[in-house]
C-alpha cells in the first residue's frame, strides 16, 4: 500500500471551514464530490468528512499564518489489487518565486507557504488539492481491508484514514521536490526550497550539483535532508528515500523507511500515526512558522 501525490484541480461542490486558534492558519475545505458519493456518500460520507476535518485540524494547528489555505478534496476510484493500492494523492497547485516576502531569490516556494510569506494569496487556484481512493472501501481492492474513519488511532486491521490525510497534506504543504526525474534539471531552471535542503553524501548539496550529478543522486540511496532544524533535532542529517530504480511519486519526497522510529512522511503506510514528528523541523527549514501542539477541541468548524 503506497502513498502518492499529485498536482491538479477538482470541481467545486460544497465548502466548510476551520477557524483556528490565535496565530494558527485558517483552512477552508471544499468537498468536491457529487451528491451521494465520496465525501457525500449516504453511508460513509459523514464519517469521511469528520475524519478529514480532524486531520485538517491537526495540521493547521501546527502552522502559523494569516492567509487562509484553500483546500479541495474528493474520493475517486483509483483502483488497485487485493494486495496493493494507491491510498491517496495530494499536492499544491502552483509554485512561486521572487515574490515580495520570499526569503530567498530565485527559489520556488509551494503555494500555501508562499502565500503566508507574501501576506496574501498569490493565486486564485486552490492551494492544495487531494483525492482519496474510494475503491479501498469496496470488496475487491485490498480485500477485506478498508479505511478506518475513527480518530482514536485504533484501526485494527484497517487503514487509518486520518494518518493518510496527514501524510498527503505533508506533501501539500511542501514536503516534495520539483526535480525532473528524467534529466535532473530544476523546474524552469529554478531550484525549489525543499530540494535546497538535500545533499548526497560524498558528492555535495543538490544546489551545487550539475544536472547529471543531481539525476544520479535521485537513485543513489545516499540522499539526506540537511536543513539546520532537522540536523539539530536528530544530531545529524536524515536519510531521504532514493531507491534504484526511481519510484515516481515516492522517491526523494519521503523520509527513508530505515529511519527509526517510523516517521509520518515515509513512502509506505505502517499504521496509525497522528504525529507530524520530524516534519515539524523540516517545515521550519522550508520557511514555515510551526506552532506548539494545540488541542483539536480548541477549533470550531463552520
Amino acid at each position: 500500500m503506497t502513498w502518492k501525490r499529485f498536482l491538479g484541480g477538482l470541481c467545486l461542490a460544497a465548502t466548510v471551514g476551520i477557524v483556528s486558534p490565535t496565530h494558527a492558519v485558517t483552512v477552508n475545505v471544499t468537498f468536491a464530490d457529487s451528491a451521494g458519493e465520496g465525501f457525500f456518500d449516504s453511508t460513509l460520507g459523514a464519517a469521511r468528512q469528520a475524519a478529514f476535518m480532524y486531520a485538517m485540524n491537526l495540521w493547521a494547528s501546527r502552522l502559523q499564518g494569516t492567509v487562509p489555505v484553500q483546500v479541495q478534496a474528493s474520493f475517486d476510484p483509483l483502483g488497485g489489487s487485493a494486495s496493493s493500492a494507491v491510498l491517496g494523492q495530494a499536492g499544491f497547485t502552483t509554485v512561486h518565486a521572487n515574490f515580495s516576502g520570499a526569503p530567498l531569490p530565485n527559489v520556488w516556494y509551494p503555494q500555501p507557504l508562499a502565500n503566508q510569506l507574501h501576506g496574501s494569496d498569490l493565486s486564485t487556484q486552490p492551494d492544495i488539492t487531494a483525492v482519496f481512493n474510494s475503491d479501498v472501501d469496496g470488496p475487491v481492492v485490498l480485500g477485506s481491508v478498508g479505511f478506518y474513519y475513527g480518530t482514536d488511532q485504533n484501526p485494527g486491521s484497517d487503514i487509518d484514514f486520518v494518518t493518510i490525510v496527514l501524510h498527503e497534506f505533508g506533501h501539500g504543504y511542501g514536503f516534495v521536490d520539483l526535480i525532473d526525474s528524467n534529466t535532473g534539471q530544476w523546474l524552469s531552471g529554478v531550484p525549489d526550497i525543499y530540494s535546497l535542503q538535500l545533499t548526497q553524501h560524498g558528492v555535495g548539496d543538490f544546489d551545487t550539483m550539475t544536472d547529471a550529478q543531481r539525476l544520479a543522486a535521485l537513485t543513489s540511496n545516499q540522499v539526506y535532508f540537511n536543513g539546520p532544524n532537522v540536523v539539530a533535532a536528530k544530531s545529524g542529517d536524515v536519510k531521504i528515500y532514493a531507491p534504484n530504480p526511481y519510484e515516481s511519486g515516492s522517491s526523494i519526497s519521503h523520509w527513508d523507511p530505515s529511519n527509526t522510529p517510523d516517521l509520518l512522511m515515509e513512502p509506505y503506510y505502517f499504521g496509525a500515526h497522528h504525529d507530524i514528528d520530524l516534519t515539524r523541523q523540516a517545515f521550519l527549514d522550508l520557511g514555515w512558522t510551526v506552532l506548539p501542539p494545540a488541542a483539536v477541541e480548541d477549533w470550531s468548524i463552520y
Side-chain angles (χ1 to χ4, degrees):
M1 294 171 286
T2 60
W3 331 69
K4 289 198 176 179
R5 58 183 171 81
F6 83 128
L7 284 76
L10 299 170
C11 61
L12 182 66
T15 301
V16 296
I18 302 170
V19 181
S20 62
T22 304
H23 305 305
V25 71
T26 294
V27 180
N28 296 322
V29 177
T30 297
F31 294 122
D33 291 306
S34 300
E37 59 100 15
F39 280 105
F40 302 117
D41 181 87
S42 59
T43 302
L44 296 173
R48 286 171 170 173
Q49 289 192 31
F52 184 86
M53 297 304 285
Y54 184 88
M56 291 296 93
N57 289 342
L58 290 174
W59 253 126
S61 68
R62 303 306 304 276
L63 301 176
Q64 181 172 315
T66 60
V67 183
V69 176
Q70 309 298 330
V71 169
Q72 288 189 359
S74 67
F75 271 84
D76 285 312
L78 302 179
S81 68
S83 59
S84 177
V86 173
L87 303 176
Q89 305 176 145
F92 43 82
T93 56
T94 65
V95 291
H96 302 270
N98 297 319
F99 52 89
S100 175
L104 296 173
N106 302 315
V107 173
W108 292 122
Y109 289 84
Q111 182 175 328
L113 174 56
N115 289 345
Q116 308 308 323
L117 296 170
H118 179 62
S120 62
D121 207 326
L122 289 163
S123 173
T124 59
Q125 297 187 54
D127 298 310
I128 302 173
T129 58
V131 60
F132 301 95
N133 192 352
S134 58
D135 287 329
V136 172
D137 285 325
V140 177
V141 173
L142 302 183
S144 62
V145 174
F147 281 127
Y148 174 72
Y149 295 108
T151 60
D152 58 3
Q153 301 189 69
N154 290 304
S157 60
D158 287 327
I159 298 166
D160 188 69
F161 184 67
V162 170
T163 300
I164 305 306
V165 177
L166 289 174
H167 175 100
E168 291 304 330
F169 275 77
H171 293 309
Y173 284 116
F175 199 95
V176 64
D177 75 283
L178 301 177
I179 300 168
D180 189 313
S181 61
N182 295 309
T183 65
Q185 295 177 340
W186 301 121
L187 177 65
S188 300
V190 176
D192 60 271
I193 188 60
Y194 173 88
S195 296
L196 289 184
Q197 317 303 317
L198 304 182
T199 190
Q200 181 186 356
H201 284 184
V203 178
D205 295 342
F206 271 36
D207 62 330
T208 67
M209 293 179 178
T210 65
D211 293 344
Q213 288 175 319
R214 202 175 301 113
L215 179 63
L218 300 185
T219 54
S220 68
N221 198 36
Q222 290 296 319
V223 175
Y224 291 80
F225 195 106
N226 69 344
N229 287 283
V230 167
V231 169
K234 300 297 286 186
S235 299
D237 47 16
V238 177
K239 194 170 187 180
I240 289 290
Y241 189 56
N244 189 1
Y246 183 89
E247 296 180 11
S248 180
S250 295
S251 290
I252 306 301
S253 296
H254 292 90
W255 301 119
D256 192 83
S258 65
N259 291 303
T260 55
D262 286 322
L263 298 169
L264 176 67
M265 298 307 294
E266 292 183 9
Y268 303 106
Y269 176 76
F270 56 81
H273 189 85
H274 294 185
D275 184 359
I276 68 170
D277 52 57
L278 194 61
T279 314
R280 175 186 183 275
Q281 286 80 12
F283 274 23
L284 288 169
D285 288 328
L286 299 186
W288 281 101
T289 299
V290 185
L291 299 168
V296 172
E297 289 76 14
D298 292 340
W299 296 75
S300 61
I301 299 175
Y302 64 89

